[in-house]
Coordinates of all heavy atoms in Angstrom, one line a residue:
M1 N -8.7 22.6 -126.8 CA -9.8 22.8 -125.8 C -10.9 21.7 -126.1 O -11.2 21.4 -127.2 CB -10.4 24.2 -126.0 CG -11.6 24.4 -125.0 SD -12.3 26.0 -125.3 CE -11.5 27.0 -124.1
S2 N -11.3 21.1 -125.0 CA -12.3 20.0 -125.1 C -13.7 20.6 -125.3 O -14.0 21.7 -125.0 CB -12.3 19.1 -123.9 OG -12.7 19.9 -122.8
A3 N -14.6 19.8 -125.8 CA -16.0 20.2 -126.1 C -16.7 20.4 -124.8 O -16.4 19.8 -123.7 CB -16.7 19.1 -126.9
A4 N -17.7 21.3 -124.8 CA -18.5 21.5 -123.6 C -19.3 20.3 -123.2 O -19.7 19.5 -124.1 CB -19.4 22.7 -123.8
K5 N -19.6 20.2 -122.0 CA -20.4 19.0 -121.5 C -21.8 19.2 -122.1 O -22.3 20.3 -122.1 CB -20.4 19.0 -120.0 CG -19.0 18.7 -119.4 CD -19.0 18.8 -117.9 CE -17.6 18.6 -117.4 NZ -17.5 18.8 -116.0
P6 N -22.4 18.1 -122.5 CA -23.7 18.2 -123.1 C -24.8 18.7 -122.2 O -25.9 19.1 -122.6 CB -24.0 16.7 -123.6 CG -23.1 15.9 -122.8 CD -21.9 16.7 -122.4
S7 N -24.6 18.6 -120.9 CA -25.7 19.0 -120.0 C -25.4 20.3 -119.3 O -25.9 20.6 -118.2 CB -25.9 17.9 -118.9 OG -24.7 17.8 -118.2
A8 N -24.7 21.2 -119.9 CA -24.3 22.5 -119.3 C -25.5 23.3 -119.0 O -25.6 24.0 -118.0 CB -23.3 23.2 -120.2
T9 N -26.5 23.4 -119.9 CA -27.7 24.2 -119.7 C -28.5 23.6 -118.6 O -29.0 24.4 -117.8 CB -28.5 24.2 -121.0 OG1 -27.7 24.8 -122.1 CG2 -29.7 25.1 -120.9
I10 N -28.7 22.3 -118.6 CA -29.5 21.7 -117.5 C -28.8 21.9 -116.2 O -29.5 22.2 -115.2 CB -29.7 20.2 -117.8 CG1 -30.5 20.0 -119.0 CG2 -30.3 19.5 -116.6 CD1 -30.6 18.6 -119.6
R11 N -27.5 21.7 -116.1 CA -26.8 21.9 -114.8 C -26.9 23.4 -114.4 O -27.2 23.6 -113.2 CB -25.3 21.5 -115.0 CG -24.5 21.5 -113.7 CD -23.1 21.0 -113.9 NE -22.3 21.5 -115.0 CZ -22.1 20.8 -116.1 NH1 -22.6 19.6 -116.3 NH2 -21.4 21.4 -117.1
Y12 N -26.7 24.3 -115.3 CA -26.8 25.8 -114.9 C -28.2 26.1 -114.4 O -28.4 26.7 -113.4 CB -26.5 26.6 -116.1 CG -26.7 28.1 -115.8 CD1 -25.8 28.8 -115.1 CD2 -27.9 28.8 -116.3 CE1 -26.1 30.2 -114.8 CE2 -28.1 30.1 -116.0 CZ -27.2 30.8 -115.3 OH -27.4 32.1 -115.0
T13 N -29.2 25.6 -115.1 CA -30.6 25.9 -114.7 C -31.0 25.2 -113.4 O -31.6 25.8 -112.5 CB -31.6 25.3 -115.8 OG1 -31.3 25.9 -117.0 CG2 -33.0 25.6 -115.4
A14 N -30.5 24.0 -113.1 CA -30.7 23.3 -111.9 C -30.1 24.1 -110.7 O -30.7 24.3 -109.6 CB -30.3 21.9 -111.9
L15 N -28.8 24.5 -110.9 CA -28.1 25.2 -109.8 C -28.8 26.6 -109.6 O -28.9 27.0 -108.4 CB -26.7 25.4 -110.2 CG -25.8 24.1 -110.1 CD1 -24.4 24.3 -110.7 CD2 -25.7 23.6 -108.7
R16 N -29.2 27.2 -110.6 CA -29.9 28.5 -110.5 C -31.2 28.3 -109.7 O -31.5 29.1 -108.8 CB -30.2 29.1 -111.9 CG -30.9 30.4 -111.9 CD -29.8 31.5 -111.9 NE -30.5 32.8 -111.6 CZ -30.8 33.7 -112.5 NH1 -30.6 33.5 -113.8 NH2 -31.4 34.8 -112.1
L17 N -31.9 27.3 -110.0 CA -33.2 27.0 -109.3 C -32.9 26.7 -107.8 O -33.6 27.1 -106.9 CB -33.9 25.8 -109.9 CG -35.3 25.5 -109.4 CD1 -36.2 26.6 -109.5 CD2 -35.8 24.3 -110.1
L18 N -31.8 25.9 -107.6 CA -31.4 25.6 -106.2 C -31.1 26.8 -105.4 O -31.5 26.9 -104.2 CB -30.2 24.6 -106.2 CG -30.1 23.6 -105.1 CD1 -31.2 22.6 -105.2 CD2 -28.7 23.0 -105.2
I19 N -30.4 27.7 -106.0 CA -30.0 29.0 -105.3 C -31.3 29.8 -105.0 O -31.5 30.3 -103.9 CB -29.0 29.8 -106.1 CG1 -27.7 29.1 -106.1 CG2 -28.9 31.2 -105.6 CD1 -26.6 29.8 -107.0
F20 N -32.2 29.8 -105.9 CA -33.5 30.5 -105.7 C -34.3 29.9 -104.5 O -34.8 30.6 -103.7 CB -34.4 30.5 -106.9 CG -35.8 31.0 -106.6 CD1 -36.1 32.3 -106.3 CD2 -36.8 30.1 -106.6 CE1 -37.3 32.7 -106.0 CE2 -38.1 30.5 -106.3 CZ -38.4 31.8 -106.0
V21 N -34.4 28.5 -104.5 CA -35.1 27.8 -103.5 C -34.5 28.1 -102.1 O -35.2 28.4 -101.1 CB -35.2 26.3 -103.8 CG1 -35.7 25.6 -102.6 CG2 -36.1 26.1 -105.0
G22 N -33.2 28.1 -102.1 CA -32.5 28.4 -100.8 C -32.8 29.9 -100.4 O -33.0 30.1 -99.2
C23 N -32.7 30.8 -101.3 CA -33.0 32.2 -100.9 C -34.5 32.4 -100.6 O -34.8 33.2 -99.6 CB -32.6 33.1 -102.1 SG -30.9 33.3 -102.4
F24 N -35.4 31.7 -101.2 CA -36.8 31.7 -100.9 C -37.0 31.2 -99.5 O -37.7 31.8 -98.7 CB -37.6 30.9 -101.9 CG -39.0 30.7 -101.6 CD1 -39.9 31.8 -101.8 CD2 -39.5 29.5 -101.1 CE1 -41.2 31.7 -101.5 CE2 -40.9 29.4 -100.8 CZ -41.7 30.5 -101.0
F25 N -36.3 30.1 -99.1 CA -36.5 29.5 -97.8 C -35.9 30.5 -96.7 O -36.6 30.8 -95.7 CB -35.7 28.2 -97.7 CG -35.8 27.6 -96.3 CD1 -36.9 27.0 -95.9 CD2 -34.6 27.6 -95.5 CE1 -37.0 26.4 -94.6 CE2 -34.7 27.0 -94.3 CZ -35.8 26.4 -93.8
V26 N -34.7 31.1 -97.0 CA -34.1 32.0 -96.0 C -35.0 33.2 -95.9 O -35.3 33.7 -94.8 CB -32.7 32.4 -96.5 CG1 -32.2 33.6 -95.7 CG2 -31.8 31.2 -96.3
S27 N -35.6 33.7 -97.0 CA -36.5 34.9 -96.9 C -37.7 34.6 -96.1 O -38.2 35.4 -95.3 CB -36.9 35.3 -98.3 OG -35.7 35.7 -99.1
G28 N -38.3 33.4 -96.4 CA -39.5 33.0 -95.6 C -39.3 32.9 -94.2 O -40.1 33.3 -93.4
V29 N -38.1 32.3 -93.8 CA -37.8 32.2 -92.3 C -37.6 33.6 -91.7 O -38.1 33.9 -90.6 CB -36.6 31.3 -92.1 CG1 -36.1 31.4 -90.7 CG2 -36.9 29.9 -92.5
A30 N -36.9 34.5 -92.5 CA -36.6 35.8 -92.0 C -37.9 36.6 -91.8 O -38.1 37.3 -90.8 CB -35.7 36.6 -92.9
V31 N -38.9 36.5 -92.7 CA -40.2 37.2 -92.6 C -41.0 36.6 -91.5 O -41.6 37.3 -90.7 CB -40.9 37.1 -94.0 CG1 -42.4 37.5 -93.8 CG2 -40.2 38.0 -95.0
H32 N -41.0 35.3 -91.4 CA -41.7 34.6 -90.3 C -41.3 35.0 -88.9 O -42.1 35.2 -88.0 CB -41.6 33.1 -90.4 CG -42.3 32.3 -89.4 ND1 -43.7 32.2 -89.4 CD2 -41.9 31.7 -88.3 CE1 -44.0 31.5 -88.3 NE2 -42.9 31.1 -87.6
F33 N -40.0 35.2 -88.7 CA -39.5 35.6 -87.4 C -39.4 37.1 -87.2 O -38.8 37.6 -86.3 CB -38.2 34.9 -87.1 CG -38.3 33.5 -86.8 CD1 -37.8 32.5 -87.7 CD2 -39.0 33.0 -85.7 CE1 -38.0 31.2 -87.5 CE2 -39.1 31.7 -85.4 CZ -38.6 30.7 -86.3
G34 N -39.8 37.9 -88.2 CA -39.9 39.3 -88.1 C -38.5 40.0 -88.4 O -38.4 41.2 -88.1
L35 N -37.6 39.3 -88.9 CA -36.3 39.9 -89.3 C -36.4 40.8 -90.5 O -35.7 41.7 -90.7 CB -35.2 38.8 -89.5 CG -34.9 38.0 -88.3 CD1 -34.0 36.8 -88.7 CD2 -34.3 38.8 -87.2
L36 N -37.4 40.5 -91.4 CA -37.7 41.3 -92.6 C -39.2 41.6 -92.5 O -40.0 40.8 -91.9 CB -37.4 40.5 -93.9 CG -36.0 40.2 -94.2 CD1 -35.9 39.3 -95.4 CD2 -35.2 41.5 -94.5
P37 N -39.6 42.7 -93.0 CA -41.0 43.1 -92.9 C -41.9 42.1 -93.7 O -41.5 41.6 -94.8 CB -41.1 44.5 -93.5 CG -39.9 44.6 -94.3 CD -38.8 43.7 -93.7
A38 N -43.1 41.9 -93.3 CA -44.1 41.0 -94.0 C -44.8 41.8 -95.1 O -44.8 43.0 -95.0 CB -45.1 40.5 -93.0
G39 N -45.3 41.1 -96.0 CA -46.1 41.7 -97.1 C -47.4 42.3 -96.6 O -47.9 41.9 -95.6
A40 N -47.9 43.3 -97.3 CA -49.2 43.9 -97.0 C -50.3 43.0 -97.2 O -50.4 42.3 -98.3 CB -49.3 45.2 -97.8
G41 N -51.3 42.9 -96.3 CA -52.5 42.1 -96.4 C -52.1 40.6 -96.6 O -51.4 40.0 -95.8
G42 N -52.6 40.0 -97.7 CA -52.4 38.6 -97.9 C -51.3 38.3 -98.9 O -51.2 37.3 -99.5
S43 N -50.4 39.3 -99.1 CA -49.4 39.2 -100.2 C -48.1 38.6 -99.6 O -47.0 38.8 -100.3 CB -49.1 40.6 -100.8 OG -48.5 41.4 -99.8
N44 N -48.1 38.0 -98.5 CA -46.9 37.5 -97.9 C -46.1 36.5 -98.8 O -44.9 36.6 -98.9 CB -47.2 36.8 -96.6 CG -46.2 37.2 -95.5 OD1 -45.5 38.2 -95.7 ND2 -46.1 36.4 -94.5
V45 N -46.8 35.6 -99.5 CA -46.1 34.6 -100.4 C -45.5 35.3 -101.6 O -44.3 35.1 -101.9 CB -47.1 33.5 -100.9 CG1 -46.4 32.6 -101.9 CG2 -47.6 32.7 -99.7
V46 N -46.2 36.3 -102.1 CA -45.6 37.0 -103.3 C -44.4 37.8 -102.8 O -43.4 37.9 -103.5 CB -46.7 38.0 -103.9 CG1 -46.1 38.9 -104.9 CG2 -47.8 37.2 -104.4
W47 N -44.5 38.4 -101.6 CA -43.4 39.2 -101.0 C -42.1 38.3 -100.8 O -41.0 38.7 -101.2 CB -43.8 39.8 -99.7 CG -42.7 40.5 -99.0 CD1 -42.3 40.1 -97.7 CD2 -42.0 41.7 -99.3 NE1 -41.3 41.0 -97.3 CE2 -41.1 41.9 -98.3 CE3 -42.0 42.5 -100.4 CZ2 -40.2 43.0 -98.3 CZ3 -41.1 43.5 -100.5 CH2 -40.2 43.8 -99.5
V48 N -42.4 37.1 -100.3 CA -41.2 36.2 -100.1 C -40.6 35.7 -101.4 O -39.4 35.6 -101.5 CB -41.7 35.0 -99.2 CG1 -40.6 34.0 -99.0 CG2 -42.1 35.5 -97.8
I49 N -41.5 35.5 -102.4 CA -41.0 35.1 -103.7 C -40.1 36.2 -104.3 O -39.0 36.0 -104.8 CB -42.1 34.7 -104.7 CG1 -42.8 33.4 -104.3 CG2 -41.7 34.7 -106.1 CD1 -44.0 33.1 -105.0
L50 N -40.6 37.5 -104.2 CA -39.8 38.6 -104.7 C -38.5 38.7 -104.0 O -37.5 39.0 -104.6 CB -40.6 39.9 -104.6 CG -41.8 40.0 -105.6 CD1 -42.6 41.2 -105.3 CD2 -41.3 40.0 -107.0
L51 N -38.5 38.6 -102.7 CA -37.3 38.6 -101.9 C -36.3 37.5 -102.3 O -35.1 37.8 -102.5 CB -37.6 38.5 -100.4 CG -38.1 39.7 -99.7 CD1 -38.5 39.4 -98.3 CD2 -37.1 40.9 -99.7
G52 N -36.8 36.3 -102.5 CA -36.0 35.2 -103.0 C -35.4 35.5 -104.3 O -34.2 35.2 -104.6
L53 N -36.2 36.1 -105.3 CA -35.6 36.5 -106.6 C -34.6 37.5 -106.5 O -33.5 37.5 -107.1 CB -36.7 36.9 -107.5 CG -37.7 35.9 -108.0 CD1 -38.9 36.5 -108.7 CD2 -36.9 35.0 -109.0
L54 N -34.8 38.5 -105.6 CA -33.9 39.6 -105.4 C -32.6 39.2 -104.8 O -31.5 39.7 -105.2 CB -34.5 40.7 -104.5 CG -33.8 42.0 -104.4 CD1 -33.7 42.8 -105.7 CD2 -34.4 42.9 -103.3
L55 N -32.6 38.2 -103.9 CA -31.4 37.7 -103.3 C -30.7 36.7 -104.2 O -29.4 36.7 -104.3 CB -31.7 37.0 -102.0 CG -32.2 37.9 -100.9 CD1 -32.6 37.1 -99.7 CD2 -31.1 38.9 -100.4
S56 N -31.4 35.9 -105.0 CA -30.8 34.9 -105.8 C -30.1 35.4 -107.0 O -29.2 34.8 -107.5 CB -31.8 33.8 -106.1 OG -32.8 34.2 -107.0
A57 N -30.6 36.5 -107.6 CA -30.0 37.0 -108.9 C -28.5 37.3 -108.7 O -27.7 36.8 -109.5 CB -30.8 38.2 -109.4
P58 N -28.1 38.2 -107.8 CA -26.7 38.5 -107.7 C -25.9 37.3 -107.3 O -24.7 37.1 -107.7 CB -26.6 39.6 -106.7 CG -27.9 39.6 -106.0 CD -28.9 39.0 -106.9
L59 N -26.4 36.4 -106.4 CA -25.7 35.2 -106.0 C -25.5 34.3 -107.2 O -24.4 33.8 -107.3 CB -26.5 34.5 -104.9 CG -26.5 35.1 -103.5 CD1 -27.4 34.3 -102.6 CD2 -25.0 35.1 -103.0
S60 N -26.5 34.1 -108.0 CA -26.3 33.3 -109.2 C -25.3 33.9 -110.1 O -24.5 33.2 -110.7 CB -27.6 33.1 -109.9 OG -28.5 32.4 -109.1
F61 N -25.3 35.2 -110.3 CA -24.4 35.9 -111.2 C -22.9 35.6 -110.8 O -22.1 35.4 -111.6 CB -24.7 37.4 -111.3 CG -23.8 38.1 -112.2 CD1 -24.0 38.0 -113.6 CD2 -22.8 38.9 -111.8 CE1 -23.2 38.7 -114.5 CE2 -22.0 39.6 -112.6 CZ -22.2 39.5 -114.0
I62 N -22.7 35.7 -109.5 CA -21.3 35.5 -108.9 C -20.9 34.0 -108.8 O -19.9 33.6 -109.3 CB -21.2 36.2 -107.5 CG1 -21.4 37.7 -107.7 CG2 -19.9 35.8 -106.9 CD1 -21.6 38.4 -106.4
L63 N -21.8 33.2 -108.3 CA -21.5 31.8 -108.0 C -21.5 30.9 -109.2 O -20.8 29.9 -109.2 CB -22.4 31.3 -106.9 CG -22.4 32.0 -105.6 CD1 -23.4 31.4 -104.6 CD2 -21.0 31.8 -104.9
L64 N -22.3 31.2 -110.2 CA -22.4 30.3 -111.4 C -21.7 30.8 -112.6 O -22.1 30.4 -113.7 CB -23.9 30.1 -111.7 CG -24.7 29.5 -110.5 CD1 -26.2 29.4 -110.9 CD2 -24.1 28.2 -110.1
R65 N -20.7 31.6 -112.5 CA -19.9 32.1 -113.6 C -19.3 31.0 -114.5 O -19.5 31.0 -115.7 CB -18.8 33.0 -113.2 CG -18.0 33.6 -114.3 CD -16.9 34.6 -113.8 NE -17.5 35.6 -113.0 CZ -17.9 36.8 -113.4 NH1 -17.8 37.1 -114.7 NH2 -18.4 37.7 -112.6
K66 N -18.7 30.0 -113.8 CA -18.2 28.9 -114.6 C -19.2 28.1 -115.4 O -19.0 27.8 -116.6 CB -17.4 27.9 -113.6 CG -16.8 26.7 -114.3 CD -16.2 25.8 -113.2 CE -15.9 24.5 -113.8 NZ -15.6 23.4 -112.9
Q67 N -20.3 27.8 -114.7 CA -21.4 27.1 -115.4 C -22.0 27.9 -116.6 O -22.4 27.4 -117.6 CB -22.5 26.7 -114.4 CG -22.1 25.6 -113.5 CD -21.3 26.1 -112.3 OE1 -21.1 27.3 -112.1 NE2 -20.7 25.2 -111.5
R68 N -22.1 29.2 -116.4 CA -22.7 30.1 -117.4 C -21.7 30.1 -118.6 O -22.1 30.1 -119.7 CB -22.9 31.5 -116.8 CG -23.7 32.4 -117.7 CD -24.1 33.7 -117.0 NE -23.0 34.4 -116.3 CZ -22.9 34.4 -115.0 NH1 -23.8 33.8 -114.2 NH2 -21.9 35.0 -114.4
D69 N -20.4 30.2 -118.3 CA -19.4 30.1 -119.4 C -19.5 28.8 -120.2 O -19.4 28.8 -121.4 CB -18.0 30.4 -118.9 CG -17.8 31.8 -118.4 OD1 -18.6 32.7 -118.8 OD2 -16.8 32.0 -117.7
E70 N -19.6 27.7 -119.5 CA -19.7 26.4 -120.2 C -21.0 26.4 -121.0 O -21.0 25.9 -122.2 CB -19.8 25.3 -119.1 CG -18.5 25.0 -118.4 CD -18.6 23.9 -117.4 OE1 -19.7 23.3 -117.2 OE2 -17.6 23.7 -116.7
M71 N -22.1 26.9 -120.5 CA -23.3 26.9 -121.3 C -23.2 27.8 -122.5 O -23.6 27.4 -123.6 CB -24.5 27.4 -120.4 CG -25.8 27.4 -121.0 SD -27.2 27.9 -120.0 CE -26.8 29.6 -119.7
S72 N -22.5 28.9 -122.3 CA -22.3 29.8 -123.5 C -21.5 29.1 -124.6 O -21.8 29.2 -125.8 CB -21.7 31.1 -123.0 OG -21.3 31.9 -124.1
Q73 N -20.4 28.5 -124.2 CA -19.6 27.8 -125.1 C -20.4 26.7 -125.9 O -20.2 26.5 -127.1 CB -18.4 27.1 -124.4 CG -17.4 28.1 -124.0 CD -16.3 27.5 -123.2 OE1 -16.3 26.3 -122.9 NE2 -15.3 28.2 -122.8
Q74 N -21.2 26.0 -125.1 CA -22.1 24.9 -125.8 C -23.0 25.5 -126.8 O -23.2 25.0 -127.9 CB -22.9 24.2 -124.7 CG -23.7 23.1 -125.2 CD -24.6 22.5 -124.1 OE1 -24.7 23.0 -123.1 NE2 -25.1 21.3 -124.4
I75 N -23.6 26.7 -126.5 CA -24.6 27.3 -127.4 C -23.8 27.8 -128.6 O -24.3 27.7 -129.7 CB -25.3 28.4 -126.7 CG1 -26.3 27.8 -125.6 CG2 -26.1 29.3 -127.6 CD1 -26.9 28.8 -124.7
V76 N -22.7 28.5 -128.4 CA -21.9 29.0 -129.5 C -21.5 27.9 -130.5 O -21.6 28.0 -131.7 CB -20.7 29.8 -129.0 CG1 -19.7 30.1 -130.1 CG2 -21.1 31.1 -128.4
S77 N -21.0 26.8 -129.9 CA -20.6 25.7 -130.8 C -21.7 25.1 -131.6 O -21.6 24.7 -132.8 CB -19.8 24.6 -130.0 OG -20.7 23.9 -129.2
T78 N -22.9 25.0 -131.0 CA -24.1 24.5 -131.7 C -24.5 25.5 -132.8 O -24.8 25.0 -133.9 CB -25.3 24.4 -130.7 OG1 -24.9 23.5 -129.6 CG2 -26.5 23.9 -131.4
V79 N -24.5 26.8 -132.5 CA -24.8 27.8 -133.6 C -23.8 27.7 -134.7 O -24.2 27.8 -135.9 CB -24.9 29.2 -132.9 CG1 -24.9 30.3 -134.0 CG2 -26.1 29.3 -132.0
D80 N -22.5 27.6 -134.4 CA -21.5 27.5 -135.4 C -21.7 26.3 -136.3 O -21.5 26.3 -137.5 CB -20.1 27.5 -134.8 CG -19.7 28.8 -134.2 OD1 -20.3 29.8 -134.6 OD2 -18.7 28.9 -133.4
R81 N -22.0 25.1 -135.7 CA -22.2 23.9 -136.5 C -23.4 24.1 -137.4 O -23.4 23.7 -138.5 CB -22.4 22.7 -135.6 CG -21.2 22.1 -135.0 CD -21.4 20.7 -134.4 NE -22.5 20.7 -133.5 CZ -22.4 20.9 -132.1 NH1 -21.3 21.2 -131.6 NH2 -23.5 20.8 -131.4
T82 N -24.5 24.7 -136.9 CA -25.7 24.9 -137.7 C -25.4 25.9 -138.8 O -25.8 25.6 -140.0 CB -26.8 25.5 -136.8 OG1 -27.0 24.6 -135.7 CG2 -28.1 25.7 -137.6
K83 N -24.6 26.9 -138.6 CA -24.3 27.9 -139.6 C -23.4 27.2 -140.7 O -23.6 27.4 -141.9 CB -23.5 29.1 -139.1 CG -24.3 30.1 -138.4 CD -23.4 31.2 -137.9 CE -24.2 32.3 -137.2 NZ -23.3 33.4 -136.8
A84 N -22.5 26.3 -140.3 CA -21.6 25.6 -141.2 C -22.5 24.7 -142.1 O -22.3 24.5 -143.3 CB -20.6 24.8 -140.5
R85 N -23.5 24.0 -141.5 CA -24.3 23.1 -142.2 C -25.2 23.9 -143.2 O -25.4 23.4 -144.4 CB -25.2 22.3 -141.2 CG -25.8 21.1 -141.8 CD -26.5 20.2 -140.7 NE -27.1 20.9 -139.7 CZ -26.9 20.7 -138.4 NH1 -26.0 19.8 -138.0 NH2 -27.5 21.4 -137.5
L86 N -25.7 25.0 -142.8 CA -26.5 25.8 -143.7 C -25.6 26.4 -144.9 O -26.1 26.4 -146.1 CB -27.1 27.0 -143.0 CG -28.3 26.7 -142.1 CD1 -28.7 27.9 -141.3 CD2 -29.5 26.2 -142.9
D87 N -24.4 26.8 -144.6 CA -23.5 27.2 -145.7 C -23.2 26.1 -146.6 O -23.1 26.3 -147.9 CB -22.2 27.8 -145.1 CG -22.4 29.2 -144.4 OD1 -23.5 29.8 -144.7 OD2 -21.6 29.6 -143.6
A88 N -23.0 24.9 -146.1 CA -22.7 23.8 -147.0 C -23.9 23.5 -147.9 O -23.7 23.1 -149.0 CB -22.3 22.5 -146.1
N89 N -25.1 23.6 -147.3 CA -26.3 23.3 -148.1 C -26.5 24.4 -149.2 O -26.9 24.1 -150.3 CB -27.5 23.3 -147.2 CG -27.6 22.0 -146.4 OD1 -26.9 21.0 -146.7 ND2 -28.4 22.0 -145.3
R90 N -26.1 25.6 -148.9 CA -26.3 26.7 -149.9 C -25.3 26.5 -151.0 O -25.6 26.9 -152.2 CB -26.0 28.0 -149.2 CG -27.3 28.7 -148.7 CD -27.0 30.1 -148.3 NE -27.6 30.2 -147.0 CZ -27.2 30.8 -145.9 NH1 -26.0 31.5 -146.0 NH2 -27.8 30.9 -144.8
T91 N -24.1 26.0 -150.7 CA -23.1 25.9 -151.8 C -23.2 24.7 -152.6 O -22.5 24.5 -153.6 CB -21.7 26.0 -151.2 OG1 -21.5 24.9 -150.2 CG2 -21.4 27.3 -150.5
R92 N -24.1 23.8 -152.3 CA -24.3 22.6 -153.1 C -24.9 22.9 -154.4 O -25.5 23.9 -154.6 CB -25.2 21.6 -152.4 CG -24.5 20.5 -151.7 CD -25.5 19.5 -151.2 NE -25.1 19.1 -149.9 CZ -25.9 18.6 -149.0 NH1 -27.1 18.3 -149.3 NH2 -25.5 18.3 -147.8
E93 N -24.6 22.0 -155.3 CA -25.1 22.3 -156.7 C -26.6 22.1 -156.7 O -27.2 21.1 -156.1 CB -24.5 21.2 -157.6 CG -24.7 21.5 -159.0 CD -23.8 20.6 -159.9 OE1 -22.7 21.0 -160.2 OE2 -24.4 19.6 -160.3
D94 N -27.3 23.0 -157.3 CA -28.8 22.9 -157.3 C -29.4 22.0 -158.4 O -30.6 21.8 -158.5 CB -29.4 24.3 -157.5 CG -29.1 25.2 -156.3 OD1 -29.0 24.7 -155.2 OD2 -29.1 26.5 -156.5
G95 N -28.6 21.5 -159.2 CA -29.0 20.7 -160.3 C -29.6 19.3 -159.9 O -30.3 18.7 -160.7
V96 N -29.4 18.8 -158.8 CA -29.8 17.5 -158.4 C -31.1 17.6 -157.5 O -31.0 17.8 -156.3 CB -28.7 16.8 -157.6 CG1 -29.2 15.4 -157.2 CG2 -27.4 16.8 -158.3
T97 N -32.3 17.6 -158.1 CA -33.5 17.6 -157.4 C -34.3 16.4 -157.7 O -34.4 15.9 -158.9 CB -34.4 18.8 -157.8 OG1 -34.6 18.8 -159.2 CG2 -33.6 20.1 -157.3
P98 N -34.9 15.7 -156.7 CA -35.7 14.5 -157.0 C -37.0 14.8 -157.7 O -37.6 15.7 -157.8 CB -36.0 14.0 -155.6 CG -35.6 15.0 -154.6 CD -34.8 16.1 -155.3

């Protein structure tokens, strides 16, 4: 198996943000044209942000499975390398101190 791409976290985050922006835009248009109810008083922007978050979460979960798996593999391999380095440092002989 090949190593995970170094930008897996950045790619996942950018795609997740893109999905949110798209959902935010669609929610804003739907509220503007009365397809969805508007927020109470002056809370329209907050309402549209919440709708965007509510719509983008399940879409991101379904659409970004591959990117999430790549990011997870990258994180696991980084943690494993760090653990191996710490174990190697622990097993070194303590007699050599400057």
Side-chain angles (χ1 to χ4, degrees):
M1 179 183 264
S2 65
K5 297 176 183 173
S7 61
T9 302
I10 293 170
R11 188 173 45 257
Y12 174 77
T13 303
L15 289 171
R16 181 90 194 259
L17 185 61
L18 209 71
I19 289 173
F20 167 72
V21 168
C23 290
F24 174 75
F25 178 75
V26 169
S27 298
V29 169
V31 167
H32 178 74
F33 288 111
L35 299 172
L36 292 172
S43 69
N44 224 19
V45 174
V46 175
W47 173 245
V48 173
I49 289 172
L50 289 175
L51 284 173
L53 287 171
L54 186 67
L55 293 172
S56 69
L59 285 174
S60 295
F61 184 75
I62 294 168
L63 298 174
L64 299 180
R65 180 177 306 268
K66 178 183 168 194
Q67 288 80 8
R68 194 171 44 255
D69 289 343
E70 287 176 4
M71 183 177 66
S72 174
Q73 289 174 355
Q74 181 184 17
I75 291 169
V76 166
S77 69
T78 302
V79 168
D80 287 344
R81 281 194 311 269
T82 303
K83 283 182 181 179
R85 199 170 35 234
L86 287 172
D87 287 342
N89 287 341
R90 268 189 228 140
T91 58
R92 259 192 224 159
E93 192 170 274
D94 291 333
V96 185
T97 57

